[in-house]
Amino acid sequence: MTPADRAAEQFRRLHGRAPVGVWSAPGRVNLIGEHTDYNDGFVLPFALPFRVAVAASPRADGRLAVTTIGDDTVPQRAEPVPVAELAPGRVTGWAAYPAGVAWALRDEGHLGGADLVIVGDVPAGAGLSSSHALQCATALALLGLAGVTPEQDGGPALTEVARWVQRSENDFVGAPTGLLDQTASLCCVESHALFLDVRSGAREQVPFDATATGFEVLVIDTRARHSLATNGSGYADRRRGCERAAALLGVPALRDVTLDGLDDALGALPDELRPLVRHVVTENDRVLRTVAALRAGEPDDIGPLLTASHASLRDDYRVSCAELDLAVDAAVGAGAAGARMTGGGFGGSAIALVPAGARGIRPAVSAAFARRALPAPRLFPAVPSAGAHRDQ
């Protein structure tokens, strides 16, 4: 049973009637382009087949009532809150994520109460954007109840919805995220990676069917818990460092520092800011080179770029951790064409580009974790899948 079917079933069980509709949104893997989004740069994510579904119906009393159903099928209910009274700090915990979306949409003129029932199978805490899948599905559900469909009949662009979701997380939840995850969850399409220029909003769907070209993208969920709310200070410190560096260099964002001009830029900065700038500038270049390889039908060329991205995130941006480094080293050591952490860092998942028929990589990664007495990682293939949509 899909998350959408489960959400509809649970809605009927809890409310005694069918929902008006069910909307869902996927988690994502970022193939490459980490911490470049809030620097106006380039990213290259794709959607996962794992989704969060929201079954929804309007309420006449203007309140938002949210229930989430976990794997144990036990409902967790948030206290209903008037949408008109939502404000940062008014709702905390998991319920802040859907409430923040309702708050952001209210400020865009979409005011209305709703009963929401949320079901999903995106692995939580794995750095695969489960929170953004929840927020994007909630946004589509609340817009749908208001009779609004993005990019149809005068509805908002999906990229505009992504910015509303970003605002809800930045200003309501308090996590200083960029635009990568929301845009990926809303805009990705099956069998493609999404090449996004964050500054302009320009999007290109780049064909990416690794299996057809003899590869598999393997996700390694290290089970080192990832939370930007928990680790927000480290994330926020790096974002502030990038903004400070851009100001010192006299540019709108680090996107404006070219690879050719990198050495001069580094020479004009204090020591503590140089690694951040070096990562962002070289990561943007790695995204462009990866896109060029995929356009040329040469996915085997991206392996070294993935590994170089991880080294930069580990050594310059300093957002990796022991579990992520172990996953990358074990995968590459066992024959992966390349590997890197994916997501904001501080835990979560890595990805490895695995040649077809390379059967030793999964056991090698599992054995490496066992030798360190670490929890066994969860390993599964990442198949580029469809973005958010209405299911029922």
Side-chain angles (χ1 to χ4, degrees):
M1 185 179 290
T2 67
D5 290 336
R6 288 166 51 211
E9 178 184 83
Q10 292 294 337
F11 191 100
R12 286 190 292 269
R13 183 173 70 85
L14 292 168
H15 294 288
R17 65 186 191 281
V20 165
V22 183
W23 292 259
S24 71
R28 65 91 191 96
V29 155
N30 192 24
L31 185 61
I32 199 165
E34 223 65 79
H35 294 278
T36 50
D37 56 343
Y38 53 81
N39 288 291
D40 278 2
F42 305 106
V43 295
L44 190 66
F46 62 86
L48 291 167
F50 305 105
R51 304 181 74 85
V52 173
V54 176
S57 286
R59 287 174 64 112
D61 63 1
R63 292 177 179 266
L64 181 73
V66 185
T67 303
T68 183
I69 312 289
D71 293 338
D72 59 3
T73 72
V74 176
Q76 294 186 56
R77 297 176 185 264
E79 185 69 24
V81 58
V83 174
E85 297 178 10
L86 286 171
R90 174 74 168 78
V91 181
T92 60
W94 66 267
Y97 289 91
V101 173
W103 168 78
L105 295 184
R106 180 199 70 193
D107 288 355
E108 297 297 330
H110 305 293
L111 177 66
D115 286 315
L116 306 181
V117 174
I118 300 167
V119 173
D121 60 6
V122 181
L128 302 176
S129 201
S130 58
S131 62
H132 291 103
L134 164 60
Q135 290 172 294
C136 291
T138 299
L140 292 192
L142 294 177
L143 287 170
L145 294 182
V148 177
T149 301
E151 302 194 346
Q152 292 184 23
D153 300 323
L158 285 170
T159 49
E160 186 174 11
V161 177
R163 291 189 183 279
W164 296 343
V165 173
Q166 181 195 25
R167 178 171 176 256
S168 77
E169 187 160 23
N170 289 178
D171 298 339
F172 194 94
V173 178
T177 55
L179 265 173
L180 186 161
D181 295 338
Q182 305 91 334
T183 308
S185 188
L186 288 165
C187 299
C188 282
V189 302
E190 187 175 356
S191 301
H192 291 74
L194 175 66
F195 176 39
L196 174 67
D197 179 336
V198 175
R199 170 171 286 171
S200 70
R203 310 187 321 245
E204 177 187 348
Q205 303 291 347
V206 181
F208 181 52
D209 186 350
T211 303
T213 53
F215 288 94
E216 173 185 82
V217 178
L218 178 69
V219 175
I220 306 166
D221 175 5
T222 67
R223 300 188 188 272
R225 292 303 86 187
H226 161 95
S227 171
L228 289 182
T230 301
N231 300 297
S233 62
Y235 188 103
D237 287 346
R238 284 153 181 78
R239 183 165 183 169
R240 284 192 295 267
C242 291
E243 292 167 352
R244 182 180 164 216
L248 289 171
L249 294 170
V251 295
L254 294 184
R255 148 73 173 274
D256 298 292
V257 180
T258 66
L259 193 63
D260 289 342
L262 177 58
D263 288 342
D264 288 342
L266 297 180
L269 294 170
D271 290 347
E272 69 271 14
L273 297 181
R274 291 173 186 166
L276 300 179
V277 175
R278 182 165 52 238
H279 166 73
V280 172
V281 175
T282 58
E283 186 79 346
N284 276 326
D285 178 68
R286 284 185 286 269
V287 174
L288 297 177
R289 292 163 64 190
T290 299
V291 169
L294 293 181
R295 286 172 178 156
E298 298 173 346
D300 50 322
D301 288 350
I302 72 176
L305 296 169
L306 302 183
T307 306
S309 173
H310 183 78
S312 182
L313 289 159
R314 180 193 64 210
D315 300 336
D316 279 343
Y317 225 71
R318 302 182 306 281
V319 292
S320 188
C321 65
E323 293 88 346
L324 288 168
D325 294 343
L326 179 62
V328 168
D329 291 345
V332 173
R340 63 182 291 272
M341 58 157 278
T342 187
F346 309 104
S349 297
I351 56 171
L353 188 65
V354 176
R359 303 182 183 277
I361 294 174
R362 292 188 184 209
V365 171
S366 296
F369 275 68
R371 285 194 296 271
R372 298 277 189 93
L374 293 168
R378 182 186 182 199
L379 307 169
F380 55 88
V383 180
S385 300
H389 53 69
R390 182 170 184 167
D391 297 78
Q392 298 180 19

